[in-house]
Amino acid sequence: MPEYKLYINGEWVDSASGKTFDSLNPATEQSIGKFQEGNEADVKKAIDAAEDALEKWSEMPPPKRGLVLLRIAELLKQDKERLGKLVTTEMGKVLPEGLGDVQEAIDVFEYMAGEGRRLFGHTTTSELPDKFAMTIRIPVGVMGLITPWNFPIAIPAWKTSAALICGNTMVIKPSSDTPLCAIELVKIMEKAGVPPGVVNLVSGPAKTVGQEIVKNKKIDGLSFTGSRETGEWIMANVGVKKVGMELGGKNPIIVMDDADLALALDGIIWAAFGTTGQRCTACSRVLLHKAVKEKFMKMLVERTKKLRLGSGLEKTTDVGPLINKAATEKSGRYVEIGKKEGAKLLCGGEAPKGKGFFFAPTVFDGVLPDMRIAQEEIFGPVLSVIEIKNLDEAIEIANGTEYGLSSSVYTKDVRNAFVAMKKIEAGITYINSPTIGAEVHLPFGGIKKTGFTREAGIEGIEEFSHSKALYIDYSGRLQKATIDD
Ligand code: ADP
């Protein structure tokens, strides 16, 4: 069994605890390797290394840092096949999506490399004569990056690429379900010439490694993607740091009576059951116009029943496993809750017998907007269909959860499209395409209880840097801003 180490100050080292844990292939339940169970002492060492490396890295001209990022993108490209397979093996998503995970990492490193020649501030006017004003971007400092397992290379890549180009140094804590994907990304960074101490990786439990990163006062900024519960705990314990939060979603797709139903069906199947429903942007609610409901439900159930469960490495598989046993139990629990609430189970609803953390793609009809299955994030292949009479009602229901990440409307009516784009409370709205498929040069993030972060795009730069105001007074006398008048 291969054993993997922590990466601290440019060296691969054992954890202080001397303990290890396993990462399982969710399709087979077999271990793919042993990983260090880091603890608080390891995090402190990693933070010290990041602190020591900060001055030199942040002083390097950003276009030069950009060249390091480009090399990372290049190495990812060369290794894409192997890494895509690793994503599928460690996380479970089907191979085309595993490769997509790596592609997203390539895209974001390429994009952020270019940002090294921009990192724009702005120049502006001054209220006083002979005075010049502008802003520049400065690094946050030492950052903690806490990542989930559902995009095990792409999310660490989103965070590290932006953090690196802005001149920060960092400690990454990957999810214990997918440590190897993050380790492979860090190995590529090492090979690409990221200097020792700039990127450190400490695998291990949330309670020790995660909580130390959150609470440690030497960490200047924290970027977190994960569950709502953890996000709330972090907000209550993080102290004064620059914080980024990307939590869950309960993303709706509205299907209007004038929609192209075949197109909507393709989109819904992909958004609800792609990645086995484990994207933060996965569609878990279809708000379906009553005029097309009967016809569309038949199409939806027929297609859902045809989806083939299996290992993501098999070409014949449409839907891979969930990440772990707890996830299958959670989906099962919500199916029972849905039934008890009076929703009608049309297909799926069970975990098949045998090895692997599989769960059948599930559709509930007759769901009411305030049922728990329509309100709470399940993070599995469980889709709720809610009937709507018109767009106003659909938007009210779409907005009637605590989350606000992604959303979508299928319609041929330009008025419907524009009203929905304006009124849906979400960080992302798609027209005639599903709730998933973000591009790396646009901001990604949500509102309400989903969080307040924007990653990727220019906004991603803002997330990983501070804006600093500069005033240059060349009048030769003391000017006192507004009180001079
Ligand atoms: P998920 O269900 O997506 O794994 P979690 O919020 O449990 O969501 O985990 C996301 C990441 O946050 C993981 O790397 C996990 O280990 C870490 N984590 C969980 N709880 C805490 C915590 N209290 N403090 C810091 N990190 C945590």
Side-chain angles (χ1 to χ4, degrees):
M1 186 60 55
E3 188 176 320
Y4 299 90
K5 310 273 178 181
L6 308 177
Y7 187 62
I8 299 176
N9 207 14
E11 285 176 22
W12 294 93
V13 295
D14 289 329
S15 66
S17 76
K19 292 189 213 151
T20 59
F21 65 98
D22 290 82
S23 170
L24 302 186
N25 174 339
T28 62
E29 301 183 35
Q30 277 166 354
S31 173
I32 64 165
K34 298 227 166 279
F35 297 85
Q36 303 299 310
E37 201 177 296
N39 65 16
E40 291 86 347
D42 297 310
V43 173
K44 285 179 184 147
K45 262 195 229 150
I47 292 173
D48 287 345
E51 247 191 345
D52 290 346
L54 183 61
E55 189 176 339
K56 208 161 161 210
W57 179 249
S58 61
E59 289 295 326
M60 185 190 278
K64 282 225 163 113
R65 293 200 293 261
L67 291 178
V68 178
L69 268 66
L70 261 193
R71 272 200 294 279
I72 296 171
E74 200 47 50
L75 291 171
L76 283 167
K77 264 186 223 167
Q78 287 168 18
D79 225 0
K80 183 174 167 184
E81 281 298 311
R82 183 182 72 87
L83 292 171
K85 272 191 193 141
L86 169 63
V87 170
T88 297
T89 307
E90 192 176 34
M91 182 274 164
K93 60 177 78 174
V94 293
L95 185 57
E97 291 184 32
L99 293 166
D101 210 279
V102 183
Q103 186 58 47
E104 206 163 313
I106 296 167
D107 293 345
V108 78
F109 272 103
E110 281 182 348
Y111 172 77
M112 287 296 172
E115 279 299 328
R117 290 203 174 265
R118 293 161 34 104
L119 285 188
F120 291 142
H122 52 265
T123 57
T124 181
T125 57
S126 167
E127 61 196 37
L128 294 167
D130 296 335
K131 193 173 168 193
F132 184 82
M134 64 180 173
T135 69
I136 57 167
R137 304 223 64 98
I138 57 170
V140 176
V142 175
M143 296 202 69
L145 312 179
I146 300 183
T147 57
W149 45 263
N150 60 339
F151 284 85
I153 290 189
I155 291 180
W158 277 31
K159 294 189 193 299
T160 51
S161 60
L164 283 169
I165 200 67
C166 292
N168 302 289
T169 58
M170 61 212 74
V171 180
I172 309 170
K173 183 238 177 286
S175 164
S176 298
D177 284 306
T178 53
L180 186 51
C181 287
I183 285 173
E184 291 292 340
L185 177 64
V186 168
K187 279 190 187 163
I188 282 180
M189 293 184 188
E190 183 185 24
K191 208 168 150 191
V194 173
V198 171
V199 171
N200 304 275
L201 180 146
V202 183
S203 55
K207 269 216 162 326
T208 51
V209 178
Q211 297 199 5
E212 180 63 30
I213 291 175
V214 171
K215 290 185 174 167
N216 194 298
K217 292 201 166 69
K218 289 185 179 176
I219 295 256
D220 305 297
L222 181 84
S223 177
F224 172 75
T225 302
S227 67
R228 159 104 177 257
E229 294 71 31
T230 305
E232 282 178 348
W233 186 88
I234 290 175
M235 288 309 291
N237 289 278
V238 71
V240 182
K241 294 184 175 67
K242 183 167 168 65
V243 181
M245 279 280 133
E246 205 275 282
L247 311 175
K250 195 70 193 171
N251 312 293
I253 293 183
I254 299 173
V255 181
M256 292 302 293
D257 49 350
D258 63 357
D260 176 337
L261 294 186
L263 186 67
L265 181 65
D266 285 346
I268 288 166
I269 294 288
W270 173 224
F273 304 126
T275 326
T276 323
Q278 302 170 104
R279 294 176 179 234
C280 3
T281 54
C283 166
S284 51
R285 296 183 294 157
V286 169
L287 313 186
L288 182 55
H289 198 286
K290 66 176 187 183
V292 292
K293 179 143 182 257
E294 207 183 317
K295 182 172 177 200
F296 192 76
M297 286 313 288
K298 273 201 199 114
M299 293 161 67
L300 178 62
V301 171
E302 195 183 310
R303 268 285 281 284
T304 304
K305 280 183 175 165
K306 281 197 189 134
L307 295 172
R308 292 158 302 183
L309 284 180
S311 157
L313 293 173
E314 301 294 334
K315 282 209 170 70
T316 48
T317 297
D318 298 307
V319 178
L322 289 167
I323 187 66
N324 54 31
K325 190 153 189 277
T328 54
E329 287 167 358
K330 186 175 182 191
S331 284
R333 247 188 347 266
Y334 272 100
V335 167
E336 290 315 309
I337 291 169
K339 287 199 243 170
K340 275 210 192 94
E341 287 179 308
K344 195 167 159 205
L345 181 66
L346 296 185
C347 60
E350 292 174 334
K353 293 208 165 49
K355 280 270 176 235
F357 306 123
F358 295 98
F359 201 88
T362 300
V363 179
F364 271 110
D365 191 9
V367 177
L368 300 177
D370 55 357
M371 287 181 179
R372 284 183 62 192
I373 54 168
Q375 288 289 328
E376 296 170 20
E377 189 180 46
I378 302 172
F379 229 58
V382 181
L383 181 64
S384 292
V385 180
I386 301 171
E387 182 179 303
I388 50 136
K389 301 190 284 295
N390 54 43
L391 185 66
D392 285 347
E393 187 191 22
I395 290 173
E396 196 182 319
I397 295 170
N399 293 344
T401 75
E402 291 189 301
Y403 294 107
L405 182 52
S406 188
S407 54
S408 150
V409 183
Y410 282 82
T411 181
K412 288 187 193 136
D413 182 331
V414 72
R415 186 185 143 72
N416 285 343
F418 273 87
V419 169
M421 285 191 285
K422 192 160 85 179
K423 292 204 168 158
I424 293 181
E425 295 167 0
I428 309 168
T429 297
Y430 294 87
I431 303 297
N432 293 329
S433 70
T435 47
I436 61 183
E439 300 183 28
V440 300
H441 57 296
L442 277 86
F444 180 92
I447 61 172
K448 296 159 70 174
K449 294 288 186 277
T450 293
F452 39 81
T453 305
R454 291 295 176 271
E455 286 188 61
I458 304 173
E459 291 84 347
I461 295 291
E462 286 163 20
E463 206 62 46
F464 290 88
S465 60
H466 290 300
S467 185
K468 180 174 187 183
L470 303 177
Y471 300 97
I472 303 101
D473 190 323
Y474 55 95
S475 68
R477 60 185 187 277
L478 175 65
Q479 301 195 89
K480 296 188 200 134
T482 45
I483 61 167
D484 273 356
D485 293 335

